[in-house]
C-alpha cells in the first residue's frame, strides 16, 4: 500500500502501514503508533462497504456461458422503467461507465 500521508493529523507522529480489522473485514491503513488513529484510503472504505453489504447499489460481475453478466438492482430497473427488451447504451466517462437506458417502445 502507498503511504498517502506521513504524519498523524492528531498528534504529528509518523504513521506506519498497518492492517485494521473492522467488523471482520481486513483493511489496509496507516496507523499512528502513538495515539492509535487509523487512516484509510477511499478505496479501502469502498471495499469495507462492499464486504459488509453497506452499499446497496453494488453488483458483482458474474459468468453466464461465455458472457460476463451483471444483475441489476430492482430499484434501478423501477426508477428507470427498464423492461426486458429495452436497450442500454454504454458511455465511457472519466469516473466509470454510464449506462443510458433506451426504451424499446421509444425507437420502434
Ligand atoms: Zn497520532
Amino acid at each position: 500500500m502507498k503511504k498517502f500521508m506521513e504524519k498523524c493529523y492528531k498528534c504529528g507522529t509518523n504513521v506506519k502501514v498497518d492492517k485494521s480489522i473492522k467488523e471482520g473485514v481486513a483493511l489496509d491503513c496507516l496507523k499512528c503508533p502513538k495515539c492509535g488513529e487509523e487512516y484509510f484510503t477511499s478505496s479501502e472504505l469502498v471495499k469495507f462497504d462492499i464486504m459488509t453489504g453497506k452499499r446497496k447499489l453494488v453488483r458483482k460481475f458474474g459468468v453466464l456461458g461465455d458472457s460476463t453478466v451483471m444483475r441489476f438492482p430492482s430499484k434501478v430497473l423501477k426508477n428507470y422503467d427498464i423492461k426486458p427488451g429495452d436497450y442500454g447504451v454504454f458511455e465511457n466517462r472519466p469516473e466509470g461507465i454510464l449506462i443510458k437506458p433506451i426504451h424499446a417502445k421509444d425507437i420502434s
Side-chain angles (χ1 to χ4, degrees), residues 1 4 39-49 55:
M1 153 186 207
F4 55 89
Y39 299 93
F40 300 93
T41 59
S42 59
S43 66
E44 285 303 293
L45 293 175
V46 167
K47 175 179 154 187
F48 174 75
D49 284 356
R55 292 218 166 188

Side-chain angles (χ1 to χ4, degrees):
M1 153 186 207
K2 219 178 128 195
K3 220 173 164 189
F4 55 89
M5 57 188 282
E6 287 299 322
K7 290 183 190 304
C8 176
Y9 293 136
K10 280 197 171 169
C11 71
T13 307
N14 282 337
V15 292
K16 290 198 166 91
V17 175
D18 206 340
K19 290 255 183 208
S20 175
I21 310 284
K22 274 172 73 125
E23 295 177 36
V25 180
L27 300 172
D28 289 328
C29 71
L30 296 178
K31 191 170 186 171
C32 173
K34 193 176 172 199
C35 75
E37 189 68 14
E38 294 173 335
Y39 299 93
F40 300 93
T41 59
S42 59
S43 66
E44 285 303 293
L45 293 175
V46 167
K47 175 179 154 187
F48 174 75
D49 284 356
I50 291 172
M51 302 299 275
T52 54
K54 287 183 177 161
R55 292 218 166 188
K56 298 290 175 218
L57 294 181
V58 168
R59 289 296 179 271
K60 206 174 187 174
F61 288 99
V63 175
L64 186 68
D66 294 334
S67 302
T68 299
V69 296
M70 185 182 281
R71 292 173 195 275
F72 272 71
S74 53
K75 189 181 157 193
V76 171
L77 297 178
K78 203 175 163 217
N79 285 352
Y80 289 89
D81 194 28
I82 298 168
K83 305 235 175 351
D86 286 349
Y87 299 89
V89 179
F90 288 78
E91 287 184 13
N92 294 320
R93 294 293 171 92
E95 64 274 29
I97 307 160
L98 172 75
I99 302 171
K100 215 179 233 179
I102 309 278
H103 300 294
K105 62 179 165 61
D106 294 339
I107 57 172
S108 58

